[in-house]
Amino acid sequence: MQNFIADVKEAAKAFAAAREARVRRLEPKIKVFVNMPVINRSPAFYETPEGCMFANGDKSLHDAIWEAFKGLSYEDKRLLCFSPKPGGYLLRAQIWADTLEPALSPRQFHKAMGKILHLYVSIKFANKREDVKCC
């Protein structure tokens, strides 16, 4: 972490020197080359519409769904981070059903899938309303 902070300071100094040279109408000379680390993180549970919906409810159900979400592949997590488009609801529901069925009790599974499907119906009808413009 110490190296990262030192690298950020060096980058800030280089940008400040370039700005100063531009103000003086000089050719900027940057001498320091620093390799910056790339932070590649996995999509988060609260980046999904379903995760946001379960944040305000039954804590035990929320925690169980969150643990199940952690077990998804990167591609599935990435897919779930975007709001469903028309025609994509069935695929999302199937991903959630396949993920949650082994992780939850039958009662919790029924409750969770009911909430997820209700969310999809709400999104679908909101997209059809004329006064709501979705991207």
Side-chain angles (χ1 to χ4, degrees):
M1 189 63 164
Q2 214 49 344
N3 291 339
F4 178 75
I5 293 171
D7 291 344
V8 170
K9 287 180 182 178
E10 284 296 323
K13 287 178 189 176
F15 282 114
R19 255 188 259 126
E20 185 178 326
R22 188 175 36 212
V23 168
R24 293 183 181 180
R25 303 214 189 280
L26 299 174
E27 187 67 31
K29 294 180 182 178
I30 299 174
K31 299 176 185 176
V32 180
F33 290 94
V34 179
N35 290 329
M36 299 296 289
V38 176
I39 300 171
N40 187 9
R41 64 173 188 81
S42 182
F45 180 61
Y46 294 116
E47 292 176 354
T48 66
E50 298 86 358
C52 293
M53 178 188 62
F54 284 114
N56 239 1
D58 183 6
K59 178 144 176 56
S60 62
L61 181 62
H62 166 270
D63 293 344
I65 293 171
W66 191 3
E67 286 299 319
F69 179 80
K70 289 179 186 178
L72 286 172
S73 68
Y74 177 84
E75 292 79 21
D76 285 343
K77 287 180 184 178
R78 181 86 174 124
L79 177 70
L80 293 172
C81 282
F82 297 100
S83 294
K85 301 287 187 242
Y89 299 96
L90 185 59
L91 174 64
R92 288 177 74 96
Q94 191 62 50
I95 291 171
W96 279 110
D98 293 343
T99 303
L100 297 180
E101 190 170 19
L104 302 176
S105 69
R107 183 181 174 107
Q108 285 181 321
F109 175 71
H110 180 73
K111 184 176 180 180
M113 287 308 298
K115 285 186 165 205
I116 288 171
L117 294 175
H118 183 267
L119 173 68
Y120 295 164
V121 169
S122 300
I123 293 170
K124 189 169 181 165
F125 283 114
N127 286 341
K128 285 187 176 183
R129 288 190 5 212
E130 293 177 359
D131 57 332
V132 175
K133 300 289 183 193
C134 294
C135 300

